[in-house]
Amino acid sequence: MEFNIGLLKGDGIGPEIVDSAVRVLEKIGEKYGHKFNFSSYLIGGCAIDATGKPLPEETVEGCLASDSVLLGAVGGPKWDGLGGDIRPEKALLGIRAAMELFTNLRPAKLYPALKGACPLRADLVEKGFDIMIVRELTGGIYFGERGYREGKYGTEAYDTECYSEMEIRRIAKVAFETAMKRSKKVISIDKANVLESSRLWRKVVHEVAADFPEVEIENMLVDNAAMQLVRNPGQFDVAVTSNMFGDILSDEASQLTGSIGMLPSASLGATKRGLYEPIHGSAPDIAGQNKANPIATILSAAMMLRYSFDLTEEADAIERAVDVVLDKGLRTADLVGNSAAAALSTTEMTDKILEQI
Ligand code: NAD
């Protein structure tokens, strides 16, 4: 099969880690007989330097014409003094909006080989965990009506949580479809004991569940979910939730894995085209030094194969290669910590992963 992939390398370590993921995709292409065509577009600080804008029109057009898009990271001290509208990070919201991406998939997986990096007690994570948080990305309180008004005690400010049935239905569908590719279990997280919007959320999620009889569905209140994540993270597989709850819980879950350089993410819309990126930033402190951990970006490429291109076997091959490399004790500098292992460079880690594919 042939796929056109848009590359948004961005700033800082972005070019180094995206180059690593491209090498992995090329290897997959060779081994499984696919052709990946890559086109690079400017985004973030490098785009500001070249064009005066963080998200040039050409970039948006290029991404919309691609089958899927892989992003490195944007931003850095060079552009920190710029005004809000032309800051590099503004391009992230812009590209997500232009591609109409309403779903954020945030896996948080604890690799057995990296158990020591988890801040939880060893007995709580004995079996490891592999959580997929499905977060609604374009609705809820971050986008609801807001403002200031005069109230009983003077000036007050308000933000509104509002979800339509359509918004809940489409994110729930993504969660159940994701569960069908995993262990067929969904936990829907809400605050239905207090919020009207959560009661609608729960009702619609259960309507969608009826279309997926093989998937087990459980409701969990968000305050309980925050506790359960640190008490027994292994009980979660796919967790679907609103924009704000997902924002908070996905950061909590990511910390349980102990390593920012390992976590991929995907943003999806109504079509197969998605935006895949590591959750970390542009790491200006190590940019250009061949020190960055490329695994989060390589795993983002694996997610692209799985969710945009339906290449499950190929995605499994990448994830398995990462498992093997970690099991062998190979580490980039961010993962070495206090251990005696010598740190591999970005390109050496990529070479080791390529050897396992
Ligand atoms: P960061 O994630 O870039 O870095 C935090 C720390 O983690 C740094 O010490 C860094 O060296 C380390 N780190 C991050 N990724 C790593 C990797 N792959 N391998 C090894 N170490 C890694 O966050 P920050 O320092 O708060 O932000 C730096 C810049 O990135 C800022 O301009 C910020 O706005 C931007 N940012 C961009 C994105 C994005 O593009 N999606 C996300 C977050 C931050």
Side-chain angles (χ1 to χ4, degrees), residues 313-344:
E313 198 183 323
E314 292 82 341
D316 287 345
I318 297 178
E319 289 168 1
R320 210 168 34 241
V322 169
D323 282 347
V324 172
V325 163
L326 293 173
D327 279 346
K328 283 174 177 259
L330 300 168
R331 305 279 186 268
T332 42
D334 55 309
L335 301 176
V336 166
N338 297 327
S339 83
L344 297 187

Side-chain angles (χ1 to χ4, degrees), residues 131-136 163 167-169 171-176 179 184-193 197-209 215-226 228 235-243 245-246 249:
I131 306 170
M132 177 68 81
I133 295 188
V134 181
R135 169 189 168 195
E136 203 287 327
Y163 269 111
E167 289 170 303
I168 302 167
R169 187 161 286 118
I171 191 78
K173 192 162 170 276
V174 175
F176 285 99
K184 300 189 179 166
K185 187 179 165 209
V186 170
I187 295 184
S188 172
I189 298 171
D190 61 35
K191 188 69 183 166
N193 54 342
S197 52
S198 279
R199 286 192 272 272
L200 182 67
W201 179 279
R202 196 173 275 206
K203 173 176 161 279
V204 175
V205 166
H206 280 266
E207 284 169 12
V208 176
V215 179
E216 184 191 324
I217 167 82
E218 184 188 330
N219 303 304
M220 195 178 278
L221 295 174
V222 63
D223 38 354
N224 186 28
Q228 295 300 329
Q235 72 186 288
F236 292 90
D237 192 85
V238 172
V240 60
T241 192
S242 63
N243 200 343
F245 295 161
L249 293 175

Side-chain angles (χ1 to χ4, degrees), residues 13 17 71-77 80 87 89 92 96 260-262 277-286 291-297 332-334:
I13 59 171
I17 54 180
L71 169 74
V74 300
D80 276 350
R87 281 184 64 99
E89 293 79 1
L92 296 176
R96 286 177 192 143
I260 197 171
M262 296 288 303
E277 56 183 307
I279 69 155
H280 59 72
S282 59
D285 50 334
I286 55 167
K291 277 189 188 164
N293 184 348
I295 292 179
T297 315
T332 42
D334 55 309

